[in-house]
Amino acid sequence: MKNISKKQKSKYENLYYHPYKKNNIKDKLLTSISILFSTIAILPLVLVLAYILIKGGSLLSYDLLTNLPEPPGDDIISAGGIGNAIIGTLIITIIATFISVPIGIGGGIYLAEYSKGALFSKFIRFGTNVLSGVPSIIAGVFIYGIIVYTKIIFGSNFSAIAGGMALSILMIPTVIKTTDEGLKLVSQELRKGALGVGASKFVTITQITLPAAINPIATGILLAIARAAGETAPLIFTALFSFYWSSSPQSILEPIASLSVLIYNFAIEPYKAQNELAWAASFILVLLLLFLNILSKWLSKRTNLET
Amino acid sequence: MNYTDKAKGIENQIDIPNSDKVAISMQNVSIKYNSQTAVKNVFCDIPKGKVTALIGPSGCGKSTILRAINRMNDLISGCSLTGKILFDGYDLYNKQIDPVEVRRRIGMVFQQPNPFPKTIYENIAFGARINGFTGNMDELVANSLKRAALWGECKDKLKESGYSLSGGQQQRLCIARTIAIEPEVILMDEPCSALDPISTLKIEETMHELKKNYTLIIVTHNMQQALRVSDYTAFFNAEKIDSSKSGKVGYLVEFNQTNKIFNSPKQKVTKDYITGKFG
């Protein structure tokens, strides 16, 4: 009896935490390594934001937001403002949203509610995944080839509409995917309940399932907009750039300014004033994208709380 | 015992007193999930204006039969039915039948309370509105809630979300929502299995109210509940048969007035089940 208790005692003495035990050292080492790498991963974001804030934030003024940009070389001291580029980015993004949201939501509804996992829907899902990986410049060249070059839309070549179409190609896969996934999250019980009171499939989708999935879908649309609004390459081929206001409704058929193309054009100019304008535009663009991302995060959080 | 014996089905029909009209008549109904037969050769005439309980062990096909009555099985891919289900002179599985119309006249309450993510008022108004109701909606909502014995508890919060109610209240809301579309038959698939005993009692009281106006068919695991609420009871069982590769096949063992099923069952297997020897 005594013998056993002694043995037990010696066994349990090791219950204290030993910082220099092999396992504990390993554990700490791995923890610090993973912390280090995750810090490195977040570093670019922090640095980019800080750099743009310092370079561009100080240039923020009322004139910057309301004036037109001036062509390089006209005035050494000032390059004007980015007013038309802000409006242009908004117009192009709105056009892209108007094209991609109906197509994307319609496609998502088909995948989630109507398709029965047959070959056709598998093909659409696969195609959507491929499309979301297509480089944005390809979307630009594609629209250039079929819209801009052929002047198919009322004889205009470079235009806001063409720009919006190019961006909508980038947005559609995201909207389809989030609609599909959002609808799949809606409980099957809810669908049965609606059908059980004599609702047709159309009524069930439009009045029960779609409203129930509105938050994830809206989140997806916002993320898609955030991605598209910052694109440059597709716009160079389609919307080009303009030094003037897009004031009349017809101006959506004309070349239009955008923040990202303004940055691209002015950042490589040899004039300091233009470079500074590019920094200011970067600041505004990043702010816009950050806002969209935070908004979508907030929306998706609200969804999780509700369910 | 030979469950394919059609004579037994006919014998079941005889047990209904002549005064009770038939609401739904199942004639040689067999239901398959893909190639797997779930329930086979069911003959059963469900009387009008009564509560009929479907009881039996798990996997005997009672829920499958219930869902077949308002074409809910259409939602399950691979589910197919042979035989006839007659309702108001129509064969519900005729190609010309619109399942949406069937569900308007044969409402359903599900196992899990599933109110819509809308206000209590809208939960009830929804079904009526999509069915073309043009009368006084406030009155309809109030009447439906009263008949589902929920009016007293929620008359002051009609504008609140249906999710703000307790589980039992949600289930009564789902019953109210079904009543609002004025069906002729109400199907209930284990309506109390997710609820506590007090809520269960309230739902049962609601059922007693409802049977004055509707034909009720309920699936229940709880034999005491069947005894408390139903006028007729159909006992289903599942048996492994040689011809099927795997799994059990459900069949209707006995259908009769509830007191006869519980007091003097004709089949030994019914007696074994209700006395708790298996199941």
Side-chain angles (χ1 to χ4, degrees):
Chain A
M1 196 62 188
K2 242 183 187 174
N3 214 358
I4 290 170
S5 67
K6 229 181 191 176
K7 239 184 188 172
Q8 277 180 339
K9 207 181 174 188
S10 66
K11 204 174 168 187
Y12 286 118
E13 270 170 357
N14 282 332
L15 209 57
Y16 294 112
Y17 179 73
H18 295 290
Y20 301 111
K21 227 172 113 187
K22 203 175 160 194
N23 272 348
N24 290 337
I25 290 175
K26 247 194 218 165
D27 191 35
K28 272 192 177 151
L29 199 68
L30 277 173
T31 310
S32 12
I33 287 174
S34 68
I35 290 174
L36 181 71
F37 279 125
S38 48
T39 314
I40 292 173
I42 201 74
L43 214 56
L45 175 70
V46 176
L47 287 179
V48 165
L49 282 182
Y51 197 60
I52 287 174
L53 191 75
I54 293 163
K55 279 276 201 177
S58 57
L59 301 166
L60 212 60
S61 68
Y62 181 73
D63 285 348
L64 177 88
L65 297 177
T66 53
N67 284 358
L68 287 173
E70 286 169 22
D74 274 16
D75 185 346
I76 300 295
I77 300 154
S78 163
I82 55 170
N84 68 337
I86 294 174
I87 303 288
T89 291
L90 287 181
I91 290 174
I92 297 173
T93 312
I94 287 169
I95 293 171
T97 308
F98 267 96
I99 299 171
S100 60
V101 165
I103 297 175
I105 290 186
I109 288 175
Y110 173 77
L111 287 180
E113 302 280 346
Y114 286 98
S115 75
K116 292 195 173 87
L119 206 64
F120 181 58
S121 61
K122 273 184 191 150
F123 173 71
I124 293 180
R125 282 211 176 88
F126 177 72
T128 309
N129 283 333
V130 172
L131 192 61
S132 66
V134 164
S136 58
I137 195 163
I138 305 290
V141 172
F142 171 67
I143 293 296
Y144 176 80
I146 64 159
I147 304 285
V148 177
Y149 183 72
T150 58
K151 297 189 179 183
I152 206 163
I153 299 178
F154 302 116
S156 70
N157 45 13
F158 292 100
S159 67
I161 289 195
M165 287 171 112
L167 293 189
S168 72
I169 293 179
L170 304 174
M171 290 174 68
I172 285 170
T174 315
V175 180
I176 288 187
K177 234 190 263 183
T178 47
T179 305
D180 183 15
E181 278 155 22
L183 285 174
K184 275 192 201 142
L185 283 181
V186 175
S187 137
Q188 192 63 25
E189 292 298 317
L190 221 50
R191 284 189 192 92
K192 283 201 275 177
L195 294 171
V197 294
S200 62
K201 197 153 187 169
F202 177 77
V203 169
T204 306
I205 291 169
T206 52
Q207 296 193 29
I208 301 292
T209 43
L210 212 52
I214 200 69
N215 274 349
I217 293 172
T219 307
I221 292 171
L222 279 180
L223 284 176
I225 291 174
R227 188 201 160 179
E231 284 294 347
T232 317
L235 295 182
I236 295 173
F237 285 94
T238 52
L240 216 60
F241 192 71
S242 155
F243 284 96
Y244 311 104
W245 292 105
S246 306
S247 46
S248 65
Q250 286 97 307
S251 57
I252 61 166
L253 296 172
E254 291 158 10
I256 194 169
S258 59
L259 285 170
S260 50
V261 177
L262 185 140
I263 297 167
Y264 172 75
N265 285 343
F266 283 11
I268 52 176
E269 290 294 336
Y271 303 98
K272 189 167 178 275
Q274 266 70 25
N275 293 353
E276 281 188 342
L277 202 65
W279 279 116
S282 315
F283 176 71
I284 299 288
L285 189 59
V286 167
L287 221 60
L288 180 75
L289 302 189
L290 208 61
F291 170 73
L292 284 172
N293 274 295
I294 290 170
L295 195 67
S296 70
K297 196 89 203 157
W298 174 77
L299 253 181
S300 68
K301 208 175 206 173
R302 232 182 51 164
T303 319
N304 293 340
L305 286 181
E306 271 172 22
T307 46
Chain B
M1 59 168 298
N2 184 3
Y3 63 89
T4 51
D5 187 1
K6 288 180 186 177
K8 200 174 76 232
I10 292 158
E11 175 197 309
N12 284 334
Q13 290 170 8
I14 294 167
D15 286 329
I16 299 177
N18 289 331
S19 59
D20 291 347
K21 286 182 188 158
V22 174
I24 286 163
S25 173
M26 290 182 243
Q27 296 178 356
N28 201 13
V29 173
S30 301
I31 301 170
K32 275 182 176 178
Y33 294 119
N34 298 316
S35 61
Q36 177 73 46
T37 305
V39 59
K40 209 169 177 182
N41 302 103
V42 174
F43 287 84
C44 184
D45 284 349
I46 289 165
K48 212 170 194 165
K50 301 281 174 191
V51 180
T52 302
L54 312 183
I55 62 167
S58 298
C60 68
K62 55 194 187 303
S63 286
T64 302
I65 282 285
L66 189 80
R67 284 198 302 267
I69 296 173
N70 73 341
R71 298 278 303 256
M72 262 322 186
N73 281 338
D74 291 15
L75 303 186
I76 301 166
S77 63
C79 184
S80 61
L81 179 140
T82 56
K84 276 183 180 169
I85 298 182
L86 298 176
F87 167 71
D88 195 21
Y90 294 98
D91 175 8
L92 293 183
Y93 283 80
N94 188 311
K95 279 210 167 62
Q96 289 169 305
I97 296 283
D98 178 2
V100 173
E101 290 299 327
V102 172
R103 291 180 205 129
R104 284 176 186 183
R105 293 177 62 184
I106 306 179
M108 187 156 193
V109 176
F110 300 87
Q111 189 168 358
Q112 288 291 332
N114 56 351
F116 302 129
K118 298 171 181 280
T119 62
I120 292 170
Y121 185 97
E122 276 303 310
N123 255 286
I124 294 163
F126 172 76
R129 199 177 295 131
I130 60 167
N131 285 306
F133 180 78
T134 51
N136 185 338
M137 192 61 87
D138 292 350
E139 209 171 279
L140 179 80
V141 170
N143 279 339
S144 306
L145 284 171
K146 276 173 195 159
R147 272 146 90 185
L150 192 61
W151 177 245
E153 287 154 81
C154 70
K155 63 172 178 243
D156 299 323
K157 46 180 188 177
L158 294 177
K159 295 284 170 235
E160 281 177 36
S161 165
Y163 289 154
S164 67
L165 300 171
S166 73
Q169 290 171 329
Q170 284 187 11
Q171 191 64 302
R172 272 178 286 150
L173 178 63
C174 293
I175 293 174
R177 163 179 98 182
T178 309
I179 297 169
I181 61 168
E182 298 281 335
E184 287 154 57
V185 180
I186 298 177
L187 310 177
M188 297 190 180
D189 190 357
E190 299 186 38
C192 303
S193 68
L195 305 179
D196 61 281
I198 293 167
S199 301
T200 301
L201 207 66
K202 286 212 161 151
I203 303 259
E204 287 178 8
E205 282 166 17
T206 308
M207 286 183 206
H208 279 296
E209 272 309 299
L210 291 179
K211 89 180 176 189
K212 293 169 192 161
N213 300 297
Y214 304 97
T215 303
L216 261 67
I217 306 173
I218 80 162
V219 162
T220 178
H221 264 300
N222 182 335
M223 277 178 279
Q224 263 59 46
Q225 184 173 54
L227 197 56
R228 283 193 298 264
V229 300
S230 71
D231 304 299
Y232 287 86
T233 297
F235 171 60
F236 288 80
N237 194 15
E239 223 168 60
K240 197 163 172 79
I241 52 167
D242 304 329
S243 61
S244 75
K245 277 166 270 167
S246 61
K248 290 176 170 181
V249 177
Y251 62 100
L252 176 63
V253 179
E254 199 169 347
F255 177 60
N256 210 332
Q257 280 158 305
T258 299
N259 56 9
K260 284 188 186 157
I261 288 276
F262 280 89
N263 295 326
S264 53
K266 288 189 180 130
Q267 305 288 341
K268 187 177 171 295
V269 63
T270 311
K271 194 180 174 191
D272 287 349
Y273 183 75
I274 60 164
T275 52
K277 281 194 181 150
F278 78 102

